[in-house]
Amino acid sequence: MRLPMSKARLLLFALGAACLVPLLSRLPLVDTMDRHGLDVSFMLRGHESPHPRIVIVEIDDPSLAAIGSWPWPRSYHAALLKAIRQNKPDVVFYDIVFPEASSEDEDQIFSEEIKKAGNVVLPYYFVSSSPKNFWENQAVMPIRPFEEAARALAYTNHFRDRDGRTRELTLTVPGEKTPRMQTSLAVAGQSRGFDRRLPDSLKPGQPTLINFPSPYEAFRRISFIDLMDIENPTTAQLFKSFEGSIVLVGLTATGTTDLIPTVYSPVYPGVGMQACMIHTLLTGKKIVRMPALIHALLAFLFILLGLRLSSGRHPLKGLFEMTSCWILLAAGVQIAFQEYGLWVPGFGIFTVSAAVFITGLLLQFLKTRLDRELMLKELSLAANIQKSFLPSPLGPQPGLRVAGVNFPARQIGGDLYDLHLFEDGRLSACVGDVSGKGAPAALFMAKSISELRREAPGKNPAAVLAALNANIVREGSAGLFLTLLYLIADPKSGTIIFSSGGHEPVYHYRAHARAVELRTTKEGLPLGILEDAVYVDAQAKAASGDVLLLISDGVKEAMNARREMFGAQRTCGALIEAAHEEPQAVIDHILLRIREFVKDAPQHDDLTMVCLKFL
């Protein structure tokens, strides 16, 4: 099935962005954040028990205090090594480089013990800061007697990440005949239970992540000075713990060793880091970085989610759903790490998917804003067109003054009014209110005014309403209906004839009584409900100074912040206060009273008034 072009482009965009994620993960900032995420995974996993066969002999502060400042005579190392080898350990790693000779006797004693043990691994180190430049002529080696006596030699170099922490070791580097081994791999390779195929599977120069089991204090540790206390009954028990073990001898005393920042501590002893790598190799619980292809596929999935959730949804709902997906990603990363030792560099995925999601939201916002501006322009044009349907102001007429206003609650509304001067001097006025608001009501209003003007000539108000009602019902108006009050006033005789189709009554101010009477008809349903609805005419007399006020329900139903309505009583009061003024002044005064009543409350309904005053 062929995808629409827009979807095909989105898929191509997501695929291209996903392919960039593994590359982004190599950038310094992204790589550092991913490695901090790895640290968090270690912390959330919790502590594991170190491999039980690993024993660390510490040359610590108490040992230096008892024996003397460093370096010690090598006879002390020979004595320690003799005591250890007699308890048959698998392998002994002396994490101390002896690059310079001391006295001949001291060196001979120690070299003989190394040779007798037959399982001692000694370290050396390269002066280069990169495994690519590890050359033998740049290595700092043990002195020749120790080198010849040792079972194996291995380099002890380690490298820190950009944030200063050590998280991985390069276990092999190219050599002249065979790859050179790092000390932890050499030590593990001399012990029982080690997978002999592992060195062949390691790519020379490729770093291997350390699976730190726990803080350094969790390893089995024995102080050098405790082993020298032969008279202590527990010393023999300590030596027995060396049987079948991997014994690491290293400096932990203050100022004598490198303190390496790691996951669990900023001052992790170097011998402890070697112990962690040996633990990783012996347990087989390696930490493996997610392959680039799977990394890209996972990123592709989250980029698609970012595109999907940022379009066609409410921004808050999309943000909640995308955040939920990121939380699931974090949970999945942790599960993959704990259960399978898989390191998923998630920061790049999060960054790119978040950028795509935020960009999608911004584009949606801009599109919505442009659509809104376009709609507002169209509504403004529609409002101007709707105003053109309303009558032009009528100048002073013999014996009569008239004015009208219309204020939609929105840009366009459903209220209408009309004024028409007959040739015989009579004046017709009407006010109507379409059910509903917005564009449908506005269109219905325009149609109703047109039909009203067509039906009105030569008919009395009831006949006009009946004809207009029949047209609306017959044509069907999508469920809309219209309330309407139609009135004909004769200024010569003071006669008023009106008919109501479910509309507000006429507010008739009588000047001689300074009071308002509400005039309406007994019958008259809103227009557009029943085709055979009955409408009747009613008559009244108006004297000089009388005022007629026709309103839509938006006048008396204007509400303040307390949800109180302006009401008919306040409308009557405002009319009485200004009845001595011209019609336009009467309308302005009523509007003023409404504004004072509602204050800052928004207008919720259309508001229309027509005012006639007899002279």
Side-chain angles (χ1 to χ4, degrees), residues 387-395 417-419 453:
K387 288 178 182 178
S388 69
F389 282 93
L390 299 176
S392 301
L394 294 178
Y417 78 92
D418 196 26
L419 300 170
R453 290 170 179 170

Side-chain angles (χ1 to χ4, degrees), residues 586-602:
V586 173
I587 291 175
D588 291 342
H589 182 75
I590 296 172
L591 291 174
L592 175 63
R593 288 288 182 254
I594 291 174
R595 285 195 294 270
E596 291 174 345
F597 176 75
V598 301
K599 295 183 179 178
D600 295 330

Side-chain angles (χ1 to χ4, degrees), residues 5-218:
M5 183 58 67
S6 60
K7 290 186 178 180
R9 287 177 179 173
L10 286 177
L11 286 175
L12 287 175
F13 170 78
L15 185 60
C19 291
L20 289 176
V21 169
L23 299 177
L24 288 175
S25 295
R26 305 297 179 182
L27 295 177
L29 175 62
V30 179
D31 180 64
T32 298
M33 296 305 297
D34 280 333
R35 290 175 185 272
H36 284 312
L38 178 62
D39 295 347
V40 172
S41 293
F42 273 111
M43 294 298 183
L44 293 177
R45 182 194 69 181
H47 301 166
E48 293 183 345
S49 298
H51 197 284
R53 291 171 54 211
I54 299 175
V55 181
I56 299 175
V57 176
E58 296 182 312
I59 302 176
D60 52 9
D61 289 328
S63 300
L64 290 185
I67 297 176
S69 62
W70 188 262
W72 290 341
R74 289 172 184 173
S75 56
Y76 283 96
H77 300 295
L80 172 65
L81 186 56
K82 179 179 180 180
I84 292 174
R85 72 174 174 81
Q86 288 176 348
N87 289 275
K88 300 179 181 179
D90 259 12
V91 60
V92 178
F93 169 54
Y94 231 95
D95 191 23
I96 301 170
V97 179
F98 298 97
E100 297 177 354
S102 64
S103 69
E104 185 176 349
D105 292 340
E106 293 280 341
D107 289 344
Q108 183 177 357
I109 293 171
F110 190 33
S111 63
E112 287 178 357
E113 287 300 331
I114 294 173
K115 189 172 184 178
K116 289 178 182 178
N119 60 357
V120 176
V121 176
L122 291 180
Y124 64 92
Y125 66 90
F126 293 101
V127 296
S128 172
S129 59
S130 172
K132 295 179 181 179
N133 299 321
F134 280 0
W135 310 110
E136 289 184 1
N137 59 357
Q138 293 180 333
V140 177
M141 307 293 291
I143 61 175
R144 178 64 64 179
F146 297 168
E147 183 179 345
E148 293 175 350
R151 173 68 179 271
L153 297 176
Y155 64 88
T156 189
N157 297 67
H158 63 86
F159 304 99
R160 299 185 181 187
D161 294 331
R162 294 180 182 89
D163 61 353
R165 291 186 176 184
T166 297
R167 298 179 179 87
E168 54 192 5
L169 292 174
T170 302
L171 296 180
T172 61
V173 295
E176 292 181 358
K177 296 181 180 180
T178 58
R180 304 183 189 93
M181 290 188 181
Q182 205 271 344
T183 51
S184 56
L185 178 60
V187 171
Q190 302 296 324
S191 65
R192 293 177 289 110
F194 177 69
D195 187 352
R196 304 296 173 184
R197 297 170 296 177
L198 180 60
D200 296 333
S201 66
L202 294 173
K203 184 178 179 181
Q206 185 71 32
T208 300
L209 289 164
I210 304 171
N211 186 355
F212 292 93
S214 57
Y216 174 70
E217 292 73 19

Side-chain angles (χ1 to χ4, degrees), residues 154-459:
Y155 64 88
T156 189
N157 297 67
H158 63 86
F159 304 99
R160 299 185 181 187
D161 294 331
R162 294 180 182 89
D163 61 353
R165 291 186 176 184
T166 297
R167 298 179 179 87
E168 54 192 5
L169 292 174
T170 302
L171 296 180
T172 61
V173 295
E176 292 181 358
K177 296 181 180 180
T178 58
R180 304 183 189 93
M181 290 188 181
Q182 205 271 344
T183 51
S184 56
L185 178 60
V187 171
Q190 302 296 324
S191 65
R192 293 177 289 110
F194 177 69
D195 187 352
R196 304 296 173 184
R197 297 170 296 177
L198 180 60
D200 296 333
S201 66
L202 294 173
K203 184 178 179 181
Q206 185 71 32
T208 300
L209 289 164
I210 304 171
N211 186 355
F212 292 93
S214 57
Y216 174 70
E217 292 73 19
F219 283 93
R220 280 201 298 162
R221 297 172 297 123
I222 302 173
S223 175
F224 184 99
I225 195 63
D226 290 339
L227 295 175
M228 295 296 99
D229 188 6
I230 301 176
E231 296 180 359
N232 192 325
T234 60
T235 303
Q237 190 66 32
L238 291 176
F239 277 114
K240 287 183 179 179
S241 66
F242 293 146
E243 185 176 353
S245 296
I246 299 170
V247 181
L248 310 180
V249 181
L251 286 161
T252 61
T254 305
T256 62
T257 184
D258 289 335
L259 296 176
I260 303 166
T262 64
V263 173
Y264 288 112
S265 172
V267 288
Y268 213 89
V271 68
M273 184 193 65
Q274 301 291 348
C276 289
M277 193 70 220
I278 294 170
H279 163 88
T280 304
L281 297 172
L282 291 180
T283 59
K285 295 180 179 180
K286 294 190 297 181
I287 306 298
V288 179
R289 186 180 184 126
M290 174 176 278
L293 178 60
I294 301 177
H295 193 198
L297 289 175
L298 185 60
F300 177 70
L301 172 62
F302 273 83
I303 291 169
L304 281 182
L305 283 172
L307 290 171
R308 177 70 181 88
L309 298 179
S310 64
S311 61
R313 295 169 183 259
H314 190 281
L316 289 179
K317 182 179 180 182
L319 179 61
F320 173 78
E321 293 176 345
M322 195 67 213
T323 303
S324 300
C325 292
W326 287 327
I327 292 173
L328 288 175
L329 171 64
V333 166
Q334 186 61 29
I335 292 172
F337 178 80
Q338 289 191 195
E339 299 297 326
Y340 307 104
L342 183 64
W343 173 31
V344 182
F347 185 75
I349 298 174
F350 168 77
T351 302
V352 174
S353 62
V356 168
F357 176 73
I358 293 172
T359 302
L361 286 183
L362 289 176
L363 291 175
Q364 183 183 357
F365 171 76
L366 291 176
K367 181 179 181 300
T368 302
R369 183 163 184 172
L370 290 174
D371 290 345
R372 177 180 174 81
E373 289 179 357
L374 179 61
M375 182 184 68
L376 290 176
K377 289 181 180 179
E378 292 176 348
L379 286 175
S380 178
L381 178 61
N384 292 332
I385 294 174
Q386 186 180 30
K387 288 178 182 178
S388 69
F389 282 93
L390 299 176
S392 301
L394 294 178
Q397 303 300 319
L400 197 64
R401 298 289 184 271
V402 64
V405 293
N406 171 254
F407 294 105
R410 302 175 185 173
Q411 284 188 289
I412 53 177
D415 276 10
L416 62 93
Y417 78 92
D418 196 26
L419 300 170
H420 179 70
L421 185 64
F422 295 104
E423 293 180 359
D424 58 4
R426 293 181 304 156
L427 178 73
S428 69
C430 72
V431 172
D433 185 1
V434 178
S435 62
K437 294 180 179 65
L443 292 172
F444 190 84
M445 167 265 188
K447 180 175 181 294
S448 300
I449 284 185
S450 298
E451 293 189 358
L452 174 68
R453 290 170 179 170
R454 186 181 72 242
E455 297 291 346
K459 296 179 181 177

